[in-house]
Amino acid sequence: MRTGVLLGAALALGVALSAPVPTRADDASESRTRRELGQEYYRQGRYQEALDMFLEAYRLVPVPTLAHDVAQTYALLDRPVQAFNWYRTFLDVSLGDARLAEARTETEAAMGSLRPLVALLDLSTEPAGAAVFVDRVDLGSWGTAPILLAVPAGMHTLTLRAPGHHDGAASIEARLGATTPVAVTLLPILGAVLVTSEPSGATIENERTGQALGTTPLAIELPVGELRIRAHLPGWLDAERTVDVVEDRETTVTMGLAREASTVAVLSVEGEPPGALVLVDGNAVGIMPLTIDSLSVGTHEVTVRSEGAEPVVRQIVLEAGGATRLAVTLRRVASWEWPTWRWLSYGVGLASLVGGGIAGGIALTARDDFFANPSRSGLDSQRQDAGIADALFTSGAVILAVTLVLELALQPPARSEAQVSLDR
């Protein structure tokens, strides 16, 4: 009699303390109607019909006090396993509601009285939150781990399911009045991921946990699903990407990193002629005019060259946060090398003059011999030597004069030039 009074009082208390939850108006109205009908069946002692109404009302609007009504009704129907589990549900869903403190105290006492009548499984999983199925999956989940679960005594097969993980299973012998600890680890479903970065050598981290996964290029297996990763490399800005990891398929991710402003410098190359090839440290980087905004700070060799022109090679010191400008003018290379021909002409002219002087000396000697001993042959020899001397001397003088005129008229070709300026 006392138990019936307590149960009736608890049911009345439940009506007064039913907490509103976000739901559709028609669901809330239907739930209230079914609960009132269940309470009427309860007062009449028609407990199975009352239980059906309470369960349907809880399905529509799962308020804590309805779970308490269900648990009490199961207890009256002598179904301790279900009563214990619904009492536990009430404790779980009523946390933080100060108005239900007295009902929680009563519930804990009721669960204590039910412990000798049930077998308990203290179930935990890694990861937490796995759905728990007992013996048959098709009958639905009994809750989520970690959970203190009441089951009938005997052998049971547990199936544990969590998103992104393979199903876990355990066969347990549950003993009446005893609590059996059960811990199950679910293996993650993995997918292959290949992460590369430019430049390579970046550390890849799980953005949510901060766990380092390795350095690029990185081939790794990760749990399926969406994952946010971060690439970190000293001197470069961090890069982040979202990766969709898929089972039985390799996902490729490329992370492009940008240099930090304090570690990079800007180089601009412009001038004549447009289209000249620009090389930095021997590597072609583009054609003029161009701007490179990701060069490392320090000394670099910059070469600008164009076909048919004299190249420019400069050692340039690039400063952090500065923009270095290189103004280039490439000059065309002459079709022939004037300095070589100039010295050759002077040499031939001087040789001719020397040869003319020698030939003149020989001619003078021949003339003296002719005057000492006149003869036809001596006269012919003297004239021949004089002609050779005149020819050599004249040609040498002409060659030297022409060379001097050309040297004065033809200036050496202008050399290619470059000017360096820095904007800070």
Side-chain angles (χ1 to χ4, degrees):
M1 181 66 178
R2 183 172 180 275
T3 301
V5 172
L6 288 174
L7 293 177
L11 289 173
L13 177 66
V15 174
L17 297 180
S18 295
V21 295
T23 184
R24 296 189 306 169
D26 53 347
D27 285 347
S29 176
E30 183 67 19
S31 175
R32 184 169 54 253
T33 299
R34 291 181 181 276
R35 183 172 191 180
E36 291 172 354
L37 184 57
Q39 290 170 342
E40 181 60 32
Y41 285 143
Y42 188 92
R43 284 190 291 270
Q44 297 176 14
R46 298 161 63 180
Y47 299 126
Q48 183 59 55
E49 294 167 286
L51 176 63
D52 294 339
M53 290 299 102
F54 291 150
L55 288 172
E56 184 62 22
Y58 187 85
R59 184 188 65 81
L60 292 170
V61 182
V63 295
T65 50
L66 270 171
H68 194 274
D69 294 346
V70 172
Q72 289 182 322
T73 309
Y74 269 126
L76 287 175
L77 290 171
D78 196 24
R79 297 168 68 176
V81 170
Q82 292 83 351
F84 186 95
N85 289 333
W86 275 96
Y87 276 131
R88 187 209 65 246
T89 299
F90 168 74
L91 293 179
D92 291 342
V93 298
S94 65
L95 285 174
D97 193 335
R99 299 174 300 171
L100 298 178
E102 183 177 346
R104 289 177 61 84
T105 301
E106 176 197 332
T107 295
E108 291 170 353
M111 293 175 69
S113 65
L114 290 172
R115 279 179 177 268
L117 307 177
V118 298
L120 295 178
L121 301 179
D122 187 5
L123 178 61
S124 62
T125 61
E126 177 58 41
V132 181
F133 301 86
V134 179
D135 297 326
R136 293 177 58 182
V137 174
D138 60 318
L139 294 180
S141 169
W142 286 43
T144 57
I147 189 172
L148 182 63
L149 192 64
V151 296
M155 290 297 301
H156 295 282
T157 299
L158 304 181
T159 301
L160 299 311
R161 287 184 174 175
H165 291 74
H166 295 285
D167 286 355
S171 294
I172 301 298
E173 181 180 4
R175 297 185 302 276
L176 194 65
T179 300
T180 303
V182 183
V184 179
T185 299
L186 280 62
L187 298 178
I189 301 173
L190 301 178
V193 178
L194 175 62
V195 185
T196 59
S197 67
E198 181 57 43
S200 61
T203 300
I204 303 300
E205 301 175 348
N206 183 324
E207 184 188 46
R208 182 178 64 85
T209 64
Q211 176 190 5
L213 304 177
T215 57
T216 58
L218 174 65
I220 190 173
E221 287 190 329
L222 297 172
V224 297
E226 191 174 273
L227 176 67
R228 188 77 175 172
I229 61 175
R230 177 190 299 113
H232 174 74
L233 185 64
W236 300 75
L237 297 177
D238 289 355
E240 298 177 354
R241 286 285 300 277
T242 298
V243 182
D244 189 13
V245 184
V246 181
E247 184 180 10
D248 298 329
R249 191 178 75 189
E250 184 178 71
T251 302
T252 301
V253 182
T254 300
M255 312 283 283
L257 306 181
R259 295 295 297 269
E260 291 181 349
S262 60
T263 64
V264 295
V266 178
L267 173 65
S268 295
V269 184
E270 57 188 18
E272 296 292 336
L277 180 64
V278 180
L279 301 93
V280 177
D281 299 326
N283 300 313
V285 295
I287 59 175
M288 192 172 66
L290 64 78
T291 298
I292 310 169
D293 58 5
S294 58
L295 289 174
S296 59
V297 174
T299 302
H300 295 272
E301 182 182 82
V302 180
T303 302
V304 183
R305 66 189 185 199
S306 179
E307 185 177 356
E310 181 185 14
V312 163
V313 180
R314 291 289 186 276
Q315 296 289 331
I316 297 178
V317 178
L318 302 181
E319 296 185 8
T324 300
R325 302 181 186 278
L326 181 63
V328 176
T329 302
L330 300 185
R331 307 294 186 183
R332 303 293 297 181
V333 175
S335 58
W336 56 285
E337 292 293 339
W338 164 242
T340 302
W341 287 99
R342 178 184 62 178
W343 294 119
L344 180 61
S345 297
Y346 279 132
V348 171
L350 289 174
S352 296
L353 287 177
V354 172
I358 295 173
I362 295 174
L364 290 174
T365 301
R367 188 188 64 175
D368 292 341
D369 292 342
F370 171 75
F371 286 123
N373 187 18
S375 66
R376 183 65 183 180
S377 59
L379 179 61
D380 293 341
S381 176
Q382 187 270 332
R383 289 178 176 176
Q384 182 178 5
D385 292 338
I388 292 174
D390 291 341
L392 288 173
F393 194 84
T394 302
S395 62
V398 170
I399 291 173
L400 290 175
V402 171
T403 302
L404 181 60
V405 171
L406 288 176
E407 184 173 6
L408 296 175
L410 299 178
Q411 296 296 324
R415 302 182 63 83
S416 296
E417 58 186 25
Q419 294 181 346
V420 179
S421 61
L422 176 63
D423 296 335
R424 290 187 176 87

